[in-house]
Amino acid sequence: QRIVDSMVNLLWFMLACYGLTYLVVYASIFDRIRPSKEGFGGFGKLFHCTLCFGFHAGWFLFAINRWTELFTFEYTLANFLICGCVGSGTSYLLSMLVDDFGLKINREK
């Protein structure tokens, strides 16, 4: 049962990372406030890259995990880095597989 609970925690965490990343990087609601890629001395690229922003979404969600019941992680430096990496990988992978129209499938004409 403990393993199942851990897997469910991780799944919720990964979906939350992907959702937060997708909103910030692609959602039109953020178009007016999303900096350009050249903004902030080049750090604006962060807001246009699912791999980059996914890392920051991961550590942010890790940092606030005490205020949610969806996932809980012990506050350690290792977990901080791992959650950032999981957020980055998950966000990038899912953004490569799914878009606004469903699964991305290369179709030959």
Side-chain angles (χ1 to χ4, degrees):
Q1 181 63 33
R2 183 177 160 109
I3 293 174
V4 171
D5 291 342
S6 295
M7 295 302 289
V8 170
N9 273 345
L10 186 59
L11 180 62
W12 277 120
F13 178 78
M14 291 174 7
L15 290 173
C17 283
Y18 173 68
L20 176 59
T21 299
Y22 196 86
L23 281 171
V24 171
V25 173
Y26 296 115
S28 61
I29 193 169
F30 289 109
D31 284 348
R32 291 164 144 272
I33 61 172
R34 185 182 305 114
S36 69
K37 290 182 181 180
E38 297 77 29
F40 296 119
F43 283 102
K45 292 177 187 174
L46 165 74
F47 298 92
H48 296 268
C49 172
T50 56
L51 188 67
C52 304
F53 195 85
F55 179 82
H56 296 286
W59 71 254
F60 173 76
L61 291 174
F62 166 77
I64 66 167
N65 91 85
R66 86 170 45 162
W67 293 286
T68 181
E69 295 178 14
L70 291 177
F71 45 84
T72 55
F73 301 105
E74 185 179 336
Y75 285 101
T76 66
L77 180 59
N79 283 348
F80 172 84
L81 293 172
I82 291 167
C83 284
C85 292
V86 168
S88 180
T90 300
S91 297
Y92 181 74
L93 177 66
L94 289 177
S95 71
M96 292 294 106
L97 296 175
V98 180
D99 64 13
D100 289 346
F101 305 105
L103 289 176
K104 291 183 181 179
I105 300 171
N106 290 334
R107 296 175 182 90
E108 294 185 29
K109 294 181 180 185

